[in-house]
């Protein structure tokens, strides 16, 4: 059962969905209503695994902040006494997979993001530096929500890049 945005469906090409044996949840506001969530609930009660592409609490839309998939995943976890397998941020495997093949160790990488927990916290949990930017879905005092706090909090992405170029790269670059 794919509860994902229609634009993500090509990523699941070849997966049979007529008789679902798992529940996969991504960012899909059009699917987060009682009837669909109750179908997912029943599949989970019958033993289907719950797979979350990520558990973001909220995201930024043009009209303001909106609930992300996290609250819906958490509701299904609670209702079925199960735990989702999270395959995206903030899971360590997500960040390590992103680095695979780059020749870069986590300690040599920097994550710039507007989500304190999922972007910055997740990156820092694998040893990367995390820079929080006050854009997008950032809210005042987000940097106080994780421990350790972000390596740095910047006004914007360009400010973060400037800091990296001026303070973190060797002069030979």
């Amino acid at each position: 059962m794919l509860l994902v945005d229609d634009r993500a469906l090509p990523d699941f090409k070849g997966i049979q969905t007529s008789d679902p044996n798992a529940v996969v949840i991504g960012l899909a506001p059009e699917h987060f209503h009682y009837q669909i969530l109750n179908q997912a609930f029943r599949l989970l009660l019958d033993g289907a695994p719950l797979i979350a592409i990520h558990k973001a609490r909220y995201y930024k839309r043009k009209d303001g902040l909106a609930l992300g998939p996290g609250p819906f995943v958490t509701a299904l976890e609670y209702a079925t006494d199960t735990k989702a397998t999270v395959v995206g941020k903030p899971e360590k495997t997500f960040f390590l997979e992103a680095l695979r093949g780059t020749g870069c160790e986590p300690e040599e990488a920097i994550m710039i993001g507007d989500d304190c927990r999922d972007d910055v916290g997740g990156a820092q949990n694998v040893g990367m530096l995390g820079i929080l930017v006050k854009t997008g879905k950032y809210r005042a005092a987000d940097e106080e929500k994780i421990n350790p706090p972000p390596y740095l909090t910047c006004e914007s992405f360009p400010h973060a890049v400037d800091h990296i170029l001026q303070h973190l790269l060797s002069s030979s670059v």
Side-chain angles (χ1 to χ4, degrees), residues 117 150 158 166:
R117 290 180 183 96
Q166 293 176 18

Side-chain angles (χ1 to χ4, degrees), residues 94-147:
F94 174 84
F95 290 95
L96 295 174
E97 186 62 23
L99 292 175
R100 190 166 59 97
T102 65
C104 186
E105 294 298 318
E107 297 76 21
E108 302 169 307
I110 302 166
M111 171 68 179
I112 302 171
D114 65 355
D115 187 307
C116 192
R117 290 180 183 96
D118 293 345
D119 296 340
V120 176
Q124 291 184 158
N125 284 340
V126 298
M128 298 169 75
L129 286 181
I131 299 179
L132 180 63
V133 291
K134 295 181 177 182
T135 59
K137 65 192 240 178
Y138 172 85
R139 301 200 28 99
D142 273 356
E143 53 272 34
E144 299 169 13
K145 294 179 181 174
I146 61 169
N147 189 15

Side-chain angles (χ1 to χ4, degrees), residues 2 26 28 30-32 37 39 69 73 79 82 88 104 109 118 144 155:
L2 298 175
E30 66 278 5
H31 295 302
F32 297 148
L37 290 171
Q39 288 175 355
V73 172
T82 190
C104 186
D118 293 345
E144 299 169 13
E155 291 301 316

Side-chain angles (χ1 to χ4, degrees), residues 58-69:
Y58 53 90
Y59 68 104
K60 175 110 185 222
R61 298 189 326 192
K62 289 179 183 177
D63 64 345
L65 295 179
L67 287 174

Side-chain angles (χ1 to χ4, degrees), residues 1 20-25 40 43-52 82-85:
M1 180 176 198
N21 61 1
V23 176
V24 178
I25 297 182
L43 278 170
L44 297 170
L45 285 180
D46 288 342
L50 177 59
I51 302 165
T82 190
K83 194 82 175 139
T85 299

